[in-house]
Amino acid sequence: MPTNPSRLTRRHLLGASAALGGVAVLGLPGCATSAAGGPSIGRVVVIGGGFGGTTAARYLKLWGGNVDVTLVERNATFISCPISNLVIGGYKQMADITRSYDGLKAMGIKVVQGDVSAIDAAGKKVRLAGGGELPYDRLVVSPGVDFMWEQVGGLQAAVDAGSVVHSWKAGPQTLTLRRQLEAMADGGVVAISIPKVPYRCPPGPYERACMVASYLKTAKPKSKVLVLDANPEVQSKKALFEKAFADHYKGILEYKPNAELKEVSGKLAKLEFEDVKADVLNVIPPQRAGDIARSAGLVNVNNRWVGVDWQTMESTVVPGIHVLGDATFPAPLMPKSGHMANQHAKVAAAAIVQLLKGQAVSATPVVVNTCYSFVTARDVIHVASVHQYDAADKTFKTVAGSGGVSAAANQIEGRYALSWAENIWDDMLSA
Ligand SMILES: Cc1cc2nc3c(=O)[nH]c(=O)nc-3n(C[C@H](O)[C@H](O)[C@H](O)COP(=O)(O)OP(=O)(O)OC[C@H]3O[C@@H](n4cnc5c(N)ncnc54)[C@H](O)[C@@H]3O)c2cc1C
């Protein structure tokens, strides 16, 4: 890997793309990579233009050729959660994490901006909130998460009123949190509440705590960050985050385990045994599969997540519907990450193309994940894993000896992290 450019060279990009590509590439040996006329082999509708949905739409076109692909996304542009913590810290701008859907349109994918209000699985069509229906032969659903507001008293009202932000879906809330930090007086208290696992991006809250503390350390050094974690300990890259807290943010950042948020009132966070008064209150709410997965009857695990057949990503309850990303009930040790949603999408795209052609799907999918976290504006740590499909147990299992974490935070990985983001956004969205 190169040692200095923050955007990698073409050679490294190709290497990184192969890494992002994972098994789905291997699952389609000899497959053509572009459309070439002829009758359509099928109609696929994709719900959700985030990490999973865009990748699925793009790879259905790349690998399927003449598949009719329609992507439905409620937002006009893609805004990335990865790197959004740097916007909150003041090190990146919203424009840096925002991309258009024009590349997908240029590939011949029909991009519809709208909200899917219902899925008619028997009639094989989806309904749009603005009116109209889209028929499909196979449906891909990658709606991300929605919040379990009912788990924390007063939370939805506080977020609606603007006294509390979640900033756990990148967009206007990302900027609101940044503005609140800028407006806070020196000496203020920022409280960040982390829900019990599972939630999207296990290391994300700790990265956020570091980014907020990093900003305060230079701009408002009398201030404090209180990390109220409902879990008994840091949930990802524990030793590395704890070292970062101690090395860089001693006296500014205080980490409290077993601090589950029960209720919110204004900017008061009520825990089981104490109340915390904050000037800026960032509550990451408990999460479940996105609303459309629930209303379509796809949620069948713990009343929260969607069970899938890992060889095809097809729902275990509704045939013909493939579910990706954060909405799924994960295989053992599989994180809810953008990288993993991208990998799910490739498994699904490869399988759907094979199924539309009446051919066998890959028997040996492999997926990979790397999550980088900034602990200062430049120093980064990573966690990586490789997951191989196990036909006997019908699930992905981590490959022994693969993956691991950084030896220590370092600046080279800071450049890799930014390159990872550029590469994966290209892998999802470029023409
Ligand atoms: C602060 C933060 C930092 C993160 N950092 C990283 C990181 O460094 N690396 C990493 O790999 N992951 C990271 N993640 C996790 C990553 O963002 C998610 O895992 C990823 O977005 C999941 O992809 P998805 O396709 O499941 O959902 P999403 O990317 O959330 O996409 C879902 C899309 O579906 C749309 N949608 C939902 N319902 C409908 C509907 N009914 N009609 C139309 N559209 C609909 C939504 O608008 C959304 O665009 C981070 C997350 C956060 C919050």
Side-chain angles (χ1 to χ4, degrees), residues 48 50-52 73-74 81-82 114 116 142 144 168 200 326 337-339 420:
F51 276 82
E73 164 58 46
R74 60 166 68 105
C81 285
V116 173
S142 192
W168 215 241
R200 73 167 16 166
D326 289 354
S337 72
H339 198 151
W420 170 89

Side-chain angles (χ1 to χ4, degrees), residues 150-332:
E150 69 287 356
Q151 302 259 317
V152 181
L155 180 58
Q156 178 148 34
V159 170
D160 289 348
S163 56
V164 172
V165 280
H166 59 76
S167 313
W168 215 241
K169 294 184 183 188
Q173 287 252 323
T174 310
L175 205 52
T176 304
L177 179 52
R178 175 67 198 158
R179 297 278 179 263
Q180 290 187 358
L181 294 174
E182 287 171 340
M184 189 182 81
D186 191 4
V189 172
V190 181
I192 301 175
S193 162
I194 305 173
K196 281 194 174 139
V197 284
Y199 56 81
R200 73 167 16 166
C201 194
Y206 311 103
E207 177 188 61
R208 174 166 298 175
C210 289
M211 289 298 92
V212 172
S214 175
Y215 166 65
L216 296 178
K217 188 176 167 178
T218 43
K220 302 176 184 186
K222 287 185 256 159
S223 308
K224 288 257 178 301
V225 185
L226 280 180
V227 183
L228 309 174
D229 196 340
N231 300 288
E233 59 184 8
V234 172
Q235 292 299 299
S236 177
K237 299 176 256 192
K238 179 172 182 277
L240 291 164
F241 273 118
E242 286 176 347
K243 182 160 168 49
F245 294 170
D247 287 356
H248 300 288
Y249 308 120
K250 203 168 183 335
I252 291 186
L253 189 155
E254 186 183 342
Y255 176 76
K256 292 186 175 213
N258 298 310
E260 186 175 9
L261 184 64
K262 299 288 183 191
E263 199 182 327
V264 168
S265 171
K267 288 194 192 307
L268 192 68
K270 299 185 176 183
L271 314 177
E272 197 171 1
F273 299 115
E274 61 172 321
D275 293 350
V276 173
K277 177 90 187 71
D279 297 287
V280 173
L281 182 50
N282 175 204
V283 175
I284 302 167
Q287 295 148 42
R288 57 166 171 76
D291 287 341
I292 192 68
R294 194 163 66 156
S295 62
L298 295 161
V299 169
N300 63 338
V301 184
N302 299 337
N303 205 21
R304 250 175 123 172
W305 310 111
V306 177
V308 293
D309 170 344
W310 290 109
Q311 231 180 318
T312 58
M313 303 303 298
E314 195 165 356
S315 152
T316 50
V317 277
V318 188
I321 302 183
H322 302 252
V323 184
L324 317 176
D326 289 354
T328 58
F329 181 69

Side-chain angles (χ1 to χ4, degrees), residues 36-73:
S40 165
I41 61 168
R43 292 164 304 186
V44 182
V45 172
V46 180
I47 303 173
F51 276 82
T54 54
T55 310
R58 186 164 178 271
Y59 276 81
L60 279 161
K61 265 295 179 206
L62 285 172
W63 289 338
N66 36 10
V67 180
D68 286 329
V69 184
T70 303
L71 173 69
V72 190
E73 164 58 46

Side-chain angles (χ1 to χ4, degrees), residues 1 88 382 401 408:
M1 296 291 271
I88 291 164
H382 84 267

